[in-house]
Amino acid sequence: MASIVASAKRTPSNKRLLPAITIADNETEIFVVRWSPDGTMLAAGAGDGSISVFNGETGKMAYELQPGNSGALPATSIRFRPSNDAARTKNVLVTTSAAGTVQHWHVTSGKCLHTLDEGGSVMALDYRPDGLQFATGGRDKVVRLYDEATKALTCELKGGLGYGDNVTTGHSNQIFSLKYHPTDENCLISGGWDNTIQVWDCRAGHAVKSIYGPHLCGDALDLVVDPSTGKTTVLAGSWRPQDPLEMFDLDTGKCIEQVAWRDSLLASQPCMLYAAQFSQHDGRGQFIAAGGSGANEARVFERGVGPEKNTSLVGTVAGMKRGVFGVAWSPVRDRVALGTGDGTIRILDVVKRGKEELENGESSRLINVRVEADENAQPAAPGAE
């Protein structure tokens, strides 16, 4: 059974959201966002296929890698290559598209270094933490592993093994999210439309475990390892009205928490999630950001609050005309970027609440972006920083 602590017993978070930068004037939906490893750049992929990179401090466009086209298919996922090897080229960005391409870009020169064509929609992408391997997944339900140096396909993960309670079938519908384990290079997880999270052993070539329940329609899987216990927690954001945000124990596959997502204050609809991610820079996943459609909102939660170790609400970003399709935490600070269907990227910081704010309670946790965040919008302007 999932543990859902009643709100009356929860210790509230002493943090709040502070709008930092709003990047407006994008011509189409922002489907995916991702920070560079040093947090200085924010990359975004859009519904018209465009790939743009913005200055992380000013919000101004620094590089336009691929212009948009009204006839193009959307960018679907985006990752900076981990910069763990000082001898390799820096600032490499990998993107996927619904057209089936996987492209490597050198951001600062604007050059496309390599293109793979998988022949069908590629919806998900992730790098192994050492940057030596990357994985893709999409419409054909197969997870493909590639060698980063040669770009050669090294393995296709599909199907499962076993009988009875131990059976693992692989995916029966398209994949929308992939995530490598942060410390086990042979483990990755995937999820999509078939209401399962598949746990893969890259050496075995098939799924070794299945977690039933989450219905993923975007980049809404993440993993974090507790440094004190070594246990791995899976975060999943589902596109559904009930219990959209959950955490699971990777070892047992059991749901350990359904994060309470109360009805929106500004919308009569529930929020169905497209994106979810643990915060990055502390290595503990202290915060969770998630967002979606319906209520068209995003929320940030803090984990391990108070003696009860609650997951407590930090703040809600609401009042948007369209949904939130992508979320990304900075790897160097408690700053989160939201990619939205109205073509806007909203960047917010997590800061401590003052005494007066704590006394005001939950009412001070709502950010109505139409009133507050968009008034100081920073238009996206061409030209390198």
Side-chain angles (χ1 to χ4, degrees), residues 361-373:
E362 296 299 313
S363 62
S364 64
R365 297 190 186 276
L366 175 68
I367 296 176
N368 183 343
V369 299
R370 292 184 191 172
V371 175
E372 195 169 334

Side-chain angles (χ1 to χ4, degrees), residues 239 267 269-272 274 292-297 323:
W239 197 81
Q269 304 178 65
C271 190
M272 298 179 287
Y274 281 111
S293 64
N296 296 340
E297 65 182 19

Side-chain angles (χ1 to χ4, degrees), residues 12 75 122 198 216 231 253 274 285 310 366:
V122 183
Q198 298 293 323
L216 277 75
K231 288 186 174 296
Y274 281 111
N310 293 330
L366 175 68

Side-chain angles (χ1 to χ4, degrees), residues 11 17 27 35 38 42 81 112 163 181 200 237 251 255 258 300 312 355 359:
T11 300
L17 296 178
E27 296 181 356
W35 293 92
D38 61 3
L42 179 68
R81 184 171 68 189
C112 181
Y163 302 92
H181 194 283
W200 305 91
D251 291 333
C255 181
Q258 291 171 337
V300 172
S312 297
K355 181 179 179 181
E359 292 172 351

Side-chain angles (χ1 to χ4, degrees), residues 77-115:
S77 57
I78 195 165
R79 294 288 190 275
F80 279 91
R81 184 171 68 189
S83 55
N84 295 337
D85 188 341
R88 292 188 303 175
T89 305
K90 300 289 188 181
N91 300 320
V92 172
L93 181 73
V94 183
T95 64
T96 66
S97 80
T101 58
V102 183
Q103 294 182 294
H104 283 64
W105 301 87
H106 183 234
V107 173
T108 50
S109 70
K111 293 180 179 179
C112 181
L113 304 176
H114 193 270
T115 299

